[in-house]
Amino acid sequence: MEVIIQPNQEAAAALATRILARELRDNPNLVLGLATGQTMECVYRHLVRLHQIEKLDFSLCRTFNLDEYVGLFPSDPNSYRYYMNHHLFRHVNIDLRNTYLPNGLADDLDEECRRYEATIQRLGGIDFQLLGIGKAGHIGFNEPLSALQSRTRVKALTPTTLRQNCAGFGGEDKMPRRAMTMGVGTILESRRCLLLATGSSKAKVIAQAVEGPITSMISATALQLHRRATVIVDEAAASNLVEKDYYRWIFENEPEWEDYR
Ligand code: GLP
């Protein structure tokens, strides 16, 4: 795992976007795993700008989102399909038929989860997975005790997540209590993972995820098992990390990061 500390949220999102954009330029057929949440809005804004100004091309790329609420229509502003269309897809030259999210309205949700996994496999697996982190440490909606080998499935949301995500729904009692999410195992199979976290509200969980012991109570700790995971944080989210100076030294000195400094 590599940790990169940036001065603020804007710089952290800009760096994440540059890393992603280079992957896409190197491989226009990229299979891209996408995340939702406020943190990612900044990344999508940067990607849209790169498309408009530098003609970053999405025409051949395929995308898979990490998760979707059960029971919401795509037209519902709280659905992740709506979020993706609104923040990214309709502003770039992506073919919507190449954008996949689990269908939270499927009659048979378990079958839909199996189908989602099969589609990822059929398209060759995920090349690059963007990740945010929930305050309780989830990636996707892999709530505490998600098996480290779990696959796409339905998960009940924890009270912490319901509280964290209820704003747009007008209250916890009005939001879905379940979501479909790629499993931790699904995420670990992607060829490269990039987790972005900003703000002081993520400081505690980032320290646990990066420097704490691997535990299914905090699914983001599973990234320690991944061969190529990069964590980008701003100073606020980095504030509880013990080895900050070491991470900074690596970013400033290792040739791999030369183009990004
Ligand atoms: C939701 C998503 C997660 C995301 C998290 C972080 O719970 N299912 O994938 O990581 O939000 O959200 P935010 O960036 O708003 O803190």
Side-chain angles (χ1 to χ4, degrees):
M1 186 184 269
E2 299 149 320
V3 180
I4 302 176
I5 303 169
Q6 292 289 285
N8 52 47
Q9 181 188 20
E10 186 61 25
L15 177 61
T17 309
R18 282 169 64 206
I19 294 173
L20 196 167
R22 173 172 298 187
E23 294 271 341
L24 185 56
R25 286 197 178 99
D26 289 351
N27 175 13
N29 292 294
L30 198 74
V31 178
L32 181 57
L34 295 173
T36 50
Q38 275 170 22
T39 316
M40 291 302 146
E41 289 179 22
C42 205
V43 173
Y44 297 141
R45 244 190 336 266
H46 282 284
L47 279 178
V48 170
R49 211 171 301 145
L50 281 185
H51 169 69
Q52 290 166 343
I53 296 168
E54 295 177 20
K55 302 269 173 285
L56 184 65
D57 181 19
F58 291 82
S59 62
L60 298 175
C61 119
R62 284 77 45 87
T63 67
F64 286 92
N65 266 79
L66 283 166
D67 45 18
E68 177 60 286
Y69 289 108
V70 168
L72 297 191
F73 283 91
S75 56
D76 188 319
N78 285 305
S79 75
Y80 286 163
R81 164 54 79 181
Y82 184 96
Y83 172 107
M84 290 311 306
N85 288 347
H86 179 75
H87 290 290
L88 182 66
F89 296 154
R90 70 175 151 106
H91 306 289
V92 297
N93 65 334
I94 199 160
D95 183 340
L96 279 181
R97 288 168 303 186
N98 290 337
T99 65
Y100 299 88
L101 283 93
N103 175 10
L105 293 170
D107 289 335
D108 184 338
L109 294 174
D110 293 339
E111 177 55 29
E112 167 63 11
C113 291
R114 279 191 291 275
R115 204 186 54 82
Y116 200 64
E117 287 277 335
T119 311
I120 294 173
Q121 292 304 320
R122 184 164 52 77
L123 297 189
I126 292 169
D127 294 309
F128 186 97
Q129 178 67 57
L130 254 187
L131 296 163
I133 186 168
K135 288 195 186 95
H138 66 210
I139 45 178
F141 271 130
N142 288 289
E143 301 287 43
L145 294 187
S146 288
L148 300 185
Q149 298 194 19
S150 51
R151 317 301 310 186
T152 303
R153 70 219 183 287
V154 176
K155 280 300 282 185
L157 303 175
T158 58
T160 311
T161 301
L162 292 173
R163 219 171 310 130
Q164 193 186 337
N165 290 12
C166 74
F169 292 92
E172 278 173 51
D173 49 329
K174 298 195 183 65
M175 74 179 285
R177 300 196 72 90
R178 297 186 301 154
M180 299 156 90
T181 180
M182 279 187 206
V184 181
T186 320
I187 294 167
L188 289 182
E189 270 171 26
S190 58
R191 293 180 189 95
R192 185 172 185 186
C193 286
L194 192 158
L195 186 147
L196 175 66
T198 55
S200 55
S201 67
K202 301 286 171 72
K204 182 166 167 240
V205 78
I206 278 294
Q208 289 172 315
V210 172
E211 295 177 337
I214 295 172
T215 166
S216 62
M217 285 299 287
I218 301 172
S219 60
T221 61
L223 294 174
Q224 295 174 28
L225 297 167
H226 195 277
R227 265 175 290 190
R228 197 148 182 235
T230 305
V231 174
I232 301 180
V233 283
D234 63 357
E235 289 287 354
S239 57
N240 286 12
L241 290 170
V242 174
E243 296 291 349
K244 268 188 282 198
D245 292 343
Y246 177 57
Y247 311 143
R248 284 191 225 279
W249 190 92
I250 290 174
F251 184 65
E252 289 308 326
N253 293 281
E254 291 296 333
E256 186 194 347
W257 297 110
E258 203 174 328
D259 295 346
Y260 294 104
R261 294 197 273 269

